[in-house]
Amino acid sequence: MKFGVLKDIKNGEYRVVATPAEVSLIVGDGHEVYVASMAGYAAGFDDEEYVAAGATIMATNEEIWATCDFVAKVKEIEPSEYELMREGQMIYCCIHPAAHREEVDALLEKKVIAITAEDSHRYGSPNCEAAGKAGAFMGLWSMMSTNGGSGKFVSGLGAAPGIKALVCGCGTVGKGAIEVLQTMGAWVTVADINIGALRDIATKYDGKVNTIISNKYNLTKELPTTDLVINCVRWPKNAKEAMITREMVASMRRGSVIVDISNDEGCIETFHETTHDDPIYIEEGVVHYCVSNIPGAIAGSTSVAYAAGIVNHFRSIMNNGLEEACARDGFLRRSLTAYKGYLTHEETSGIQGRPWVKPEVILGIADRKLDPAPAATVTKSENFYDEFK
């Protein structure tokens, strides 16, 4: 099979989906690997390293799209790439389909086979860990007086106390943020709806991290004395109200900071997406850092960790075929988003009101013993295509 490593073109994106290490594995399996020139440069990998690993360098992404049966990148498919997709071509990237209707339109119209990376990680995405850890640093940077923040230092100084930080959500992203903030001397409180997860955090840090149940009452009490909020909650796209309202933001002290790592519309009422080029804005006296691809700022480490975590998906698909790969790995199966003109992603069906078909049905493996995986989200849909009801 011909596998292509695309150069990510999203504004402020520096990661690469495969390093020379992964290329050497795929080439060793007997496949051809093509890498867009400079695809790994910003992450620290030169074209010559890919060539030494067995890849062929191509001058442009357009050549990769035209040549390869299977292409991969880190972030979403940009509108400028829609016309480059070919019928039957396999694509792996962070699609975020439920939030991107036009992208889904293009995937279905082009009849490609698309896999949304964010749903395929059995042990949590390395990107999530990177987002949490780097997001904590970005919050501390945003708090500097030069950025409109309060000018407080994370661990304090003699006679000046350290900051109070609130981490909302203690999944993979939240755990990364907690680790950095607690290690650097912040007074950390964690909010989540899962008592078991909160208990695990309290135990890990010997009770030095406070824990609260995440609800409007508790957050309203906490915010006026909080210097830094790190939002790591994956907010339901059909939620009827915000987790943190504008009024709650206004209750925070001037110069406090909100870092919205999750970037879900409707979770924080004062949120709007920003970029690495223009990362912060101030509303209600509070500095907001809302960059959607925070891990891109630490592209070297993130690319190595991310590529190592997903290469087995690539190898399984190319060595065993998509059907067998999806039968063997439920996390890969649940991340199948579009298949030759059919939507195969339940959350997208539920959020966008589109019909869908279960991946195992359209792949013809429903009667087999399949590797199990939990649903990717709580959104459900019984809106099936007529021919698959």
Side-chain angles (χ1 to χ4, degrees):
M1 185 175 285
K2 294 180 178 179
F3 178 73
V5 178
L6 292 163
K7 185 179 189 300
D8 270 82
I9 60 174
K10 180 173 179 147
N11 181 27
E13 185 51 65
Y14 305 104
R15 289 169 288 179
V16 65
V17 77
T19 76
E22 289 71 44
V23 167
S24 68
L25 292 173
I26 296 170
V27 170
D29 289 339
H31 304 287
E32 299 175 31
V33 179
Y34 298 84
V35 178
S37 181
M38 304 288 283
Y41 182 81
F45 303 103
D46 295 326
D47 288 352
E48 292 77 12
E49 295 178 73
Y50 285 103
V51 172
T56 298
I57 301 298
M58 288 190 153
T60 66
N61 273 352
E62 286 77 9
E63 291 177 81
I64 299 288
W65 283 104
T67 301
C68 298
D69 313 299
F70 185 0
V71 300
K73 58 186 293 195
V74 177
K75 293 301 289 181
E76 301 88 357
I77 302 165
E78 296 289 319
S80 63
E81 298 174 297
Y82 292 167
E83 290 304 314
L84 301 176
M85 297 186 289
R86 296 181 288 109
E87 184 173 344
Q89 192 172 42
M90 285 194 288
I91 304 167
Y92 180 101
C93 63
C94 292
I95 300 170
H96 301 291
H100 295 97
R101 176 176 282 275
E102 290 184 2
E103 188 179 15
V104 174
D105 287 341
L107 295 173
L108 298 178
E109 178 186 345
K110 292 296 184 178
K111 297 184 178 180
V112 297
I113 300 168
I115 298 164
T116 188
E118 63 271 18
D119 289 342
S120 71
H121 306 287
R122 185 176 294 269
Y123 304 109
S125 171
N127 280 328
C128 293
E129 179 185 3
K133 290 183 175 180
F137 274 104
M138 298 307 187
L140 300 176
W141 173 81
S142 300
M143 193 172 294
M144 292 184 178
S145 302
T146 49
N147 296 315
S150 62
K152 294 183 178 181
F153 186 66
V154 55
S155 60
L157 305 171
I163 68 167
K164 291 183 64 177
L166 173 65
V167 177
C168 297
C170 58
T172 305
V173 180
K175 288 175 183 175
I178 295 163
E179 180 179 335
V180 167
L181 292 170
Q182 203 275 337
T183 299
M184 294 188 70
W187 298 94
V188 181
T189 296
V190 183
D192 201 291
I193 60 174
N194 186 327
I195 293 178
L198 294 174
R199 185 179 295 120
D200 289 343
I201 289 292
T203 300
K204 177 177 179 179
Y205 292 101
D206 296 324
K208 296 175 183 176
V209 169
N210 293 324
T211 59
I212 60 173
I213 290 294
S214 183
N215 56 41
K216 190 66 64 70
Y217 179 85
N218 285 341
L219 294 178
T220 299
K221 285 184 63 179
E222 198 73 24
L223 288 174
T225 60
T226 296
D227 300 299
L228 171 63
V229 176
I230 308 285
N231 179 38
C232 312
V233 174
R234 188 173 183 179
W235 198 242
K237 295 174 180 62
N238 55 354
K240 297 294 189 286
E241 61 179 350
M243 180 180 75
I244 297 177
T245 65
R246 179 174 291 277
E247 182 181 7
M248 293 165 70
V249 172
S251 75
M252 299 176 68
R253 289 178 293 194
R254 179 174 55 84
S256 298
V257 173
I258 292 175
V259 176
D260 195 344
I261 296 176
S262 295
N263 261 231
D264 284 329
E265 290 281 354
C267 185
I268 297 176
E269 197 169 6
T270 49
F271 159 83
H272 68 75
E273 184 176 339
T274 62
T275 67
H276 288 296
D277 291 337
D278 188 15
I280 58 177
Y281 61 92
I282 298 175
E283 282 205 29
E284 305 295 347
V286 175
V287 181
H288 291 61
Y289 183 101
C290 303
V291 174
S292 63
N293 57 331
I294 292 174
I298 53 170
S301 293
T302 308
S303 295
V304 170
Y306 186 56
I310 60 177
V311 67
N312 286 337
H313 283 327
F314 299 158
R315 298 179 73 190
S316 183
I317 290 170
M318 287 187 275
N319 294 341
N320 304 311
L322 180 66
E323 294 81 1
E324 183 63 27
C326 286
R328 295 183 181 187
D329 193 320
F331 287 81
L332 180 63
R333 187 174 65 253
R334 77 179 192 180
S335 63
L336 187 67
T337 299
Y339 186 86
K340 298 180 179 180
Y342 289 92
L343 179 68
T344 54
H345 194 260
E346 185 172 18
E347 182 190 29
T348 303
S349 171
I351 296 297
Q352 297 184 6
R354 301 175 185 260
W356 77 299
V357 53
K358 293 181 179 180
E360 57 267 29
V361 172
I362 203 163
L363 293 175
I365 58 174
D367 59 346
R368 293 184 53 182
K369 183 177 180 180
L370 303 175
D371 176 64
T377 72
V378 297
T379 302
K380 302 297 180 185
S381 174
E382 296 295 324
N383 182 11
F384 297 108
Y385 291 104
D386 290 339
E387 60 265 49
F388 293 108
K389 287 183 178 178

